[in-house]
Amino acid sequence: MAADKPVRRVALLTAGGLAPCLSSAVGGLIQRYTAVAPDVEIIGYLNGYHGLLSGRYVDVTPEVRAKAGLLHQFGGSPIGNSRVKLTNTADLVKRGLIADGQNALQVAAERLVADGVDVLHTIGGDDTNTTAADLAAYLHEHDYDLTVVGLPKTIDNDVVPIRQSLGAWTAAEQGALFARNVIAEHSSNPRMLVVHEVMGRNCGWLTAATALAYREWVKGQEWNPGIGLTSGGWDVHAVYVPEVEIDLDAEAERLKAVMDENDCVNIFLSEGAGVPAIVAELEARGEEVGRDPFGHVKLDTINPGAWFAKQFAERIGAEKTMVQKSGYFSRSAAANDKDLALIKECTDYAVDAALRGESGVVGHDEERGDELRAIEFPRIAGGKEFDAGVEWFTALKAEIGQP
């Protein structure tokens, strides 16, 4: 959109899975527009691209604006999410979101025009923002005068080239809180194997950051070993991420010694670790592996935590095994103070960029010196790998005796 064209109406949508930033980002955008451009109308499409295609939205009334600050206190999204890919025509037809023969990008563009939208703010992860990129490209190619400004939401912290995704810090903190109760289960049975499965399809950042946050808590506690309250029983004994190949035999030998010493083993496992091996095993047995509209393996259907628990249990002499997943607990939390500061920085910039007519995804650009800017949509991609060689992660592994 030309910078000299006035912005009269903006639309917000949140999409993909939840993260501890969506509600706050919606609140932040409303607050910023109210502060710097109070005459701009705001609507929120319900359930992301699902609502955009079906034309369902709510008006942001003066009453909503007055209480927008309350949204910072909550997790989830007040306007709802969904997983919808605008270029997956077969899925959209099957779900009744478009008719057979329709082009979803055209349907979405025409809906935005019909609703009088000058700026669309998308708040989501790599799938949401690559979908926004598809939409922005279509709008540009077909001379629709509309600005699209995205915000990066993913607890995996895996969006290229963005340094830090909104909500990821909170998710790690909440995963560590979840782990305190789960790992207490090591005392529920002799020779207990506890697997804490953390979200992270292709990126191990969240698992590593969660393990680090939890271990900082362990190191800060006072223990009473004479009655069995030991740091060894509560500690992290292994951290497995997709970026590092796992030698099951060597790890089983190491963890057998840990089990003998502590009467338990506590593993932090990224749900994406070992997925290719698991999928290959299932498909070799003739089983069909489910995939979502974006073509991703449905991780809940292959259950990586249970698979790894099965690989280790017998080898390390576990008498009982427990697998617990922290993803839904951590991703639905309200943003912590560190994320709230990042969210405000990004939502303020997003509104200012929108008023300038500047499209892109707002974040600190790792390829441009960590500058906060509206990063060009064609440069946005998912699957950014965690750098498993960073000092804090290698130090963590060294402390727990993991090669």
Side-chain angles (χ1 to χ4, degrees), residues 13-15 17-29 72 76 121-126 129 149-159 162-172 205-206 330-350 361-364 372-373 384:
L13 68 78
T14 58
L18 296 181
C21 65
L22 295 174
S23 184
S24 180
V26 170
L29 290 170
H72 299 300
H121 286 284
T122 59
I123 310 165
D126 56 295
N129 285 308
V149 182
L151 287 166
K153 171 265 350 165
T154 166
I155 62 175
D156 301 347
N157 196 28
D158 63 346
V159 179
I162 293 170
R163 184 189 68 198
Q164 187 70 29
S165 298
L166 310 185
W169 281 321
T170 303
W205 181 91
L206 180 60
S330 60
R331 79 176 197 171
S332 56
N336 65 12
D337 289 343
K338 194 173 183 180
D339 264 317
L340 286 172
L342 178 62
I343 292 164
K344 183 177 187 337
E345 187 179 14
C346 291
T347 52
D348 283 358
Y349 191 99
V361 179
V362 174
H364 293 90
L372 181 64
R373 55 191 302 274
K384 181 178 77 173

Side-chain angles (χ1 to χ4, degrees), residues 45-317:
Y45 284 109
L46 298 174
N47 302 112
Y49 292 112
H50 196 291
L52 174 57
L53 291 175
S54 56
R56 297 179 300 111
Y57 66 82
V58 293
D59 292 303
V60 176
T61 64
E63 291 76 19
V64 171
R65 288 176 187 258
K67 293 186 175 183
L70 295 175
L71 298 181
H72 299 300
Q73 302 174 25
F74 291 86
S77 170
I79 52 178
N81 282 32
S82 66
R83 291 192 183 275
V84 171
K85 185 175 179 65
L86 296 183
T87 54
N88 189 338
T89 301
D91 178 66
L92 297 175
V93 171
K94 180 180 178 181
R95 296 165 71 176
L97 293 173
I98 62 173
D100 196 11
Q102 283 188 308
N103 179 336
L105 293 170
Q106 181 180 358
V107 172
E110 291 177 351
R111 172 59 62 183
L112 290 165
V113 172
D115 291 340
V117 173
D118 300 305
V119 173
L120 174 65
H121 286 284
T122 59
I123 310 165
D126 56 295
D127 289 332
T128 298
N129 285 308
T130 53
T131 294
D134 293 333
L135 179 57
Y138 181 91
L139 293 167
H140 177 74
E141 291 166 7
H142 293 81
D143 298 321
Y144 288 91
D145 199 8
L146 188 141
T147 300
V148 182
V149 182
L151 287 166
K153 171 265 350 165
T154 166
I155 62 175
D156 301 347
N157 196 28
D158 63 346
V159 179
V160 176
I162 293 170
R163 184 189 68 198
Q164 187 70 29
S165 298
L166 310 185
W169 281 321
T170 303
E173 177 183 86
Q174 290 294 313
L177 175 62
F178 179 93
R180 294 187 201 178
N181 288 4
V182 169
I183 290 180
E185 288 286 341
H186 78 270
S187 60
S188 68
N189 202 81
R191 300 190 70 83
M192 185 76 178
L193 170 60
V194 177
V195 178
H196 175 196
E197 186 175 333
V198 184
M199 280 188 170
R201 178 181 300 279
N202 298 309
C203 179
W205 181 91
L206 180 60
T207 301
T210 301
L212 178 68
Y214 173 76
R215 197 154 194 281
E216 289 300 310
W217 174 81
V218 170
K219 290 193 290 187
Q221 304 311 301
E222 186 175 356
W223 304 98
N224 190 353
I227 192 65
L229 183 63
T230 67
S231 61
W234 286 80
D235 209 346
V236 180
H237 300 131
V239 185
Y240 300 133
V241 297
E243 293 82 0
V244 180
E245 187 173 348
I246 304 165
D247 185 334
L248 290 173
D249 293 331
E251 278 297 277
E253 183 178 350
R254 181 179 74 85
L255 294 178
K256 171 72 162 51
V258 171
M259 179 69 85
D260 292 342
E261 178 181 355
N262 296 291
D263 204 35
C264 67
V265 165
N266 305 315
I267 296 174
F268 279 56
L269 169 74
S270 172
E271 64 181 356
V275 165
I278 300 171
V279 170
E281 180 181 301
L282 293 174
E283 290 180 339
R285 296 204 303 258
E287 297 182 29
E288 184 176 349
V289 176
R291 287 177 166 79
D292 68 16
F294 291 86
H296 303 316
V297 171
K298 292 183 177 180
L299 294 175
D300 58 339
T301 65
I302 65 171
N303 209 342
W307 188 87
F308 271 94
K310 180 181 178 182
Q311 305 308 307
F312 282 125
E314 184 175 348
R315 299 192 212 189
I316 68 175

